[in-house]
Amino acid sequence: MTKQVFPGLEGVAIAESSISFVDGQKSRLEYRGIGIDELGEHSHFEEVCLLLLNGSLPGQKELDEFRAKLVDARALKGGVIDLIKCLPKEGHPMDALQAAVAAVGMFYPGRHGMTPAEQRDSCVRLIAKIPTILAAFQRMRQGDDPIPPGDDLSHAANFMYMLTGEVPDEFTERTLDVALVLHADHTMNASTFAGRVVGSTLADPYCVVSSALGALSGPLHGGANEEVLKLLQAIGTIENVRPTIERMIANKEKIMGFGHRVYKTMDPRAVILKQRAAQLAQRSGNPLFPLAVEVEKVVIEHYGAKGIWPNVDFYSGLVYSEMGIPPDCFTPVFAIARVAGWLAHWLEQLDGNRIYRPTQVYTGPHEQPYVPIEQRR
Ligand SMILES: CC(C)(COP(=O)(O)OP(=O)(O)OC[C@H]1O[C@@H](n2cnc3c(N)ncnc32)[C@H](O)[C@@H]1OP(=O)(O)O)[C@@H](O)C(=O)NCCC(=O)NCCS
């Protein structure tokens, strides 16, 4: 029987999952059945972590305990800080994050065969420490000392505090919090699949998350938001938008922040982030926001009928840059949120696990002779 290849695994279900759901035609994303529009309005990141990990919204006591555990786990061991200090300042923060997360696992026992309690502790540790690692790398590469985490700030506010040394205002804190909620999970995307593959080998969660980070770093996945900002800066003026975009379209160049395997209309996360970006731009007068709106208009004019619309990355970069987050930290900020989804998928994978071992269609030769080196051409 001839085997069929499914490029990009399009349409291939690789697991049953009850964590999140996307309807790409109706522009709907749900976590455990709850729409992200509702979660973005009423919930916050810490609560969403428990929703994803446990399957339902927590009670007050459970939420308070989880928050306290996160706060306790925020600080990094001296060895991890030393390691981050040794990384090249010119290196990309995503690579620093991936290296440091893999290293964090070496500081904790129970690599393989964790008890359920140890699994939960690792989840708390990874969610709590990723913002600290990112903020420490960012500060040390600019020659500043890392700022120890605060213990009376939310996850979002504490990250901004460790990054900038200032507690953010309420609007900035809430905007980052909403962005974290929106990025926390997204069904079987490339990084989640990468994490599940590694998890299926019973590798520890630090390896699972570091592999997922590697997958997220690529420009076709999480790296697109950084590229969007570069494009907007290169365009520079409203008058330049149409000629630049039409030239890109004529040259069949991909326009970053547009298109999606699942969404064939506006990504529901982009709808919410666009509103936030508009509010931030109203406060700051950021000239890139009207440019982005114009880019969106021209791209939809040409590609909307083909199902190519703004995705989550189109407005997230604008939102983060307004908060003073450096462009190469945009994707790591995505990871601050997505680690919750990766870990929920890791736990789900372990429940009834079977190692991933797909097949291939071999297209090479057979029964070739071994040619001694001196006779090779
Ligand atoms: C997200 C993405 C990787 C999905 O990939 P995919 O499902 O494999 O879709 P494809 O890359 O095969 O694209 C299908 C068609 O749409 C076109 N297309 C998709 N995204 C496009 C974009 N951003 N700009 C221009 N054309 C695009 C492709 O050129 C292709 O056209 P063709 O059928 O004429 O060859 C893809 O849309 C993309 O590269 N987007 C830009 C990067 C980005 O924003 N990533 C963040 C995702 S959240």
Side-chain angles (χ1 to χ4, degrees), residues 66-359:
F66 180 69
R67 278 192 174 128
K69 282 185 186 170
L70 280 179
V71 168
D72 276 353
R74 280 175 179 167
L76 300 176
K77 289 192 188 277
V80 178
I81 296 181
D82 289 345
L83 177 135
I84 299 170
K85 207 178 280 175
C86 292
L87 295 172
K89 290 183 178 50
E90 308 71 32
H92 197 284
M94 261 319 257
D95 299 336
L97 201 51
Q98 189 183 22
V101 164
V104 165
M106 299 170 74
F107 289 85
Y108 297 94
R111 265 172 75 83
H112 304 298
M114 289 180 177
T115 63
E118 285 167 345
Q119 289 176 347
R120 291 284 156 167
D121 288 348
S122 317
C123 291
V124 168
R125 207 173 277 142
L126 279 157
I127 295 169
K129 291 190 193 306
I130 284 185
T132 318
I133 293 170
L134 175 58
F137 178 71
Q138 167 58 20
R139 290 192 63 85
M140 289 196 276
R141 74 173 169 167
Q142 63 190 23
D144 296 326
D145 286 333
I147 296 175
D151 55 12
D152 55 353
L153 297 171
S154 70
H155 203 66
N158 178 57
F159 170 65
M160 292 306 296
Y161 167 68
M162 292 188 296
L163 193 73
T164 64
E166 282 171 27
V167 175
D169 63 53
E170 223 177 295
F171 185 77
T172 305
E173 173 184 2
R174 183 62 190 144
T175 300
L176 181 60
D177 192 28
V178 169
L180 296 182
V181 167
L182 298 180
H183 284 83
D185 195 48
H186 203 242
T187 73
M188 209 52 68
N189 55 84
S191 56
T192 301
F193 180 48
R196 282 188 83 128
V197 170
V198 175
S200 82
T201 70
L202 302 186
D204 70 55
Y206 307 95
C207 293
V208 168
V209 171
S210 60
S211 331
L213 282 161
L216 184 68
S217 68
L220 294 189
H221 193 2
N225 52 12
E226 200 181 324
E227 300 304 318
V228 172
L229 200 77
K230 282 187 204 155
L231 174 68
L232 294 177
Q233 284 163 341
I235 290 176
T237 63
I238 286 276
E239 297 71 45
N240 267 342
V241 170
R242 186 169 288 276
T244 308
I245 297 300
E246 291 185 342
R247 194 172 53 243
M248 290 178 80
I249 291 172
N251 293 340
K252 295 198 177 313
E253 282 175 56
K254 279 226 167 140
I255 303 159
M256 291 294 139
F258 287 86
H260 200 276
R261 176 68 58 83
V262 182
Y263 296 117
K264 298 304 164 200
T265 180
M266 186 98 166
D267 182 329
R269 301 165 298 175
V271 175
I272 301 171
L273 287 171
K274 183 179 179 182
Q275 288 163 0
R276 286 273 158 184
Q279 287 165 319
L280 284 164
Q282 213 168 18
R283 294 197 327 174
S284 68
N286 184 351
L288 293 184
F289 180 74
L291 248 68
V293 174
E294 187 64 14
V295 169
E296 178 188 335
K297 192 179 129 202
V298 178
V299 174
I300 293 174
E301 228 176 76
H302 287 270
Y303 277 153
K306 199 176 168 184
I308 299 170
W309 289 72
N311 60 48
V312 68
D313 286 326
F314 190 62
Y315 285 104
S316 65
L318 269 182
V319 166
Y320 299 147
S321 70
E322 286 269 2
M323 293 174 175
I325 297 173
D328 61 358
C329 290
F330 296 169
T331 311
V333 170
F334 186 151
I336 289 178
R338 185 56 61 82
V339 65
W342 292 332
L343 290 166
H345 279 270
W346 170 61
L347 293 174
E348 189 177 69
Q349 178 65 37
L350 291 183
D351 193 11
N353 180 54
R354 190 170 187 211
I355 190 169
Y356 283 100
R357 203 321 181 175
T359 185

